[in-house]
Amino acid sequence: TKASMTTETLTFATTKYENELGLDREGTITLSNHIYGVNVNVRVLQNPVKVERTENGIATPGDLILFAKAVNTGGSLSEFMKNGEVVLLNDIDMSPVTTWTPAGKGEAVTSITMVMTNPFTGVFNGQGHRIKGINWTIDAASSETDAIGLFGATSGATIKNLKFGNEDGSDKIIITGNLTSIKSIGSIAGYIAEDSKILNVSNYVNIE
């Protein structure tokens, strides 16, 4: 017969962690009972240490992710802004990032109508810099937004002075999963509304 049920509290300690990319660190702790062949996996996510900014703007892959999260939650974008515009401070290499949640959320109602939940409404100025190393896989079935791209849904926004992807065409966004609703998909932005503008932007990212 099996042994009686016991309960034990386990405590794991980690040290603070930060790197120049500003990305989250994640891993898995596996608890195993070899006698009965039972394994339990616990996913662990450690946020990067938030350091005080010396200059407002987006300088790392982690910054770009935090910017998208702020848009999607209706949070403040002030730490990414100069003179009223969200700005890139340098080229951003997104090679370490394998998935992406677009900046700006929307919910499709019909094939031509989308309800904006938290669209991007400001000015994004790439200042001539490039976002490269794009190799993102997005599960359309579980996506938080029906608008998919670097930006998801935009309303009254301006995206300008940006190069997206490497010119050799190696960068791509891969859409997987069964569609449970209508999706608006584009490299720069999935859904653009209310006089949004894309100015002086070069796109080299393919959609698969």
Side-chain angles (χ1 to χ4, degrees):
T1 60
K2 292 186 178 181
S4 59
M5 179 69 71
T6 61
T7 300
E8 184 176 356
T9 300
L10 304 176
T11 301
F12 299 91
T14 62
T15 57
K16 286 189 175 181
Y17 164 84
E18 59 182 300
N19 64 15
E20 61 184 10
L21 300 178
L23 296 173
D24 294 346
R25 181 171 64 169
E26 61 179 292
T28 302
I29 297 173
T30 301
L31 306 177
S32 299
N33 183 320
H34 295 292
I35 296 176
Y36 300 114
V38 177
N39 296 302
V40 177
N41 293 322
V42 180
R43 181 171 174 264
V44 179
L45 178 65
Q46 183 182 23
N47 294 325
V49 177
K50 189 174 180 62
V51 297
E52 185 175 348
R53 291 184 181 276
T54 57
E55 183 179 10
N56 279 11
I58 296 172
T60 67
D63 287 344
L64 193 61
I65 291 171
L66 289 175
F67 158 72
K69 286 181 179 178
V71 173
N72 293 334
T73 58
S76 172
L77 303 181
S78 60
E79 65 181 304
F80 310 110
M81 298 178 71
K82 283 185 178 180
N83 301 318
E85 299 180 346
V86 176
V87 295
L88 287 189
L89 299 177
N90 44 251
D91 289 358
I92 307 290
D93 186 355
M94 297 295 287
S95 298
V97 180
T98 58
T99 189
W100 175 249
T101 300
K105 298 170 70 173
E107 182 180 351
V109 178
T110 69
S111 60
I112 59 173
T113 305
M114 182 166 293
V115 174
M116 305 290 185
T117 48
N118 276 311
F120 177 64
T121 59
V123 177
F124 185 96
N125 188 350
Q127 301 195 115
H129 296 300
R130 185 184 302 273
I131 300 174
K132 61 184 180 179
I134 307 300
N135 190 10
W136 298 335
T137 299
I138 299 175
D139 184 351
S142 62
S143 175
E144 298 177 4
T145 174
D146 289 334
I148 296 174
L150 173 63
F151 290 85
T154 71
S155 179
T158 298
I159 304 166
K160 63 182 182 180
N161 305 328
L162 175 67
K163 300 180 183 72
F164 189 43
N166 286 304
E167 294 184 27
D168 63 5
S170 59
D171 293 30
K172 58 182 179 282
I173 299 174
I174 302 171
I175 311 297
T176 63
N178 296 321
L179 297 183
T180 56
S181 62
I182 298 166
K183 302 290 180 182
S184 295
I185 300 170
S187 296
I188 300 296
Y191 189 86
I192 298 173
E194 301 299 331
D195 298 324
S196 292
K197 299 179 178 67
I198 296 179
L199 306 173
N200 192 31
V201 172
S202 301
N203 173 57
Y204 304 97
V205 176
N206 296 306
I207 301 288
E208 295 182 5

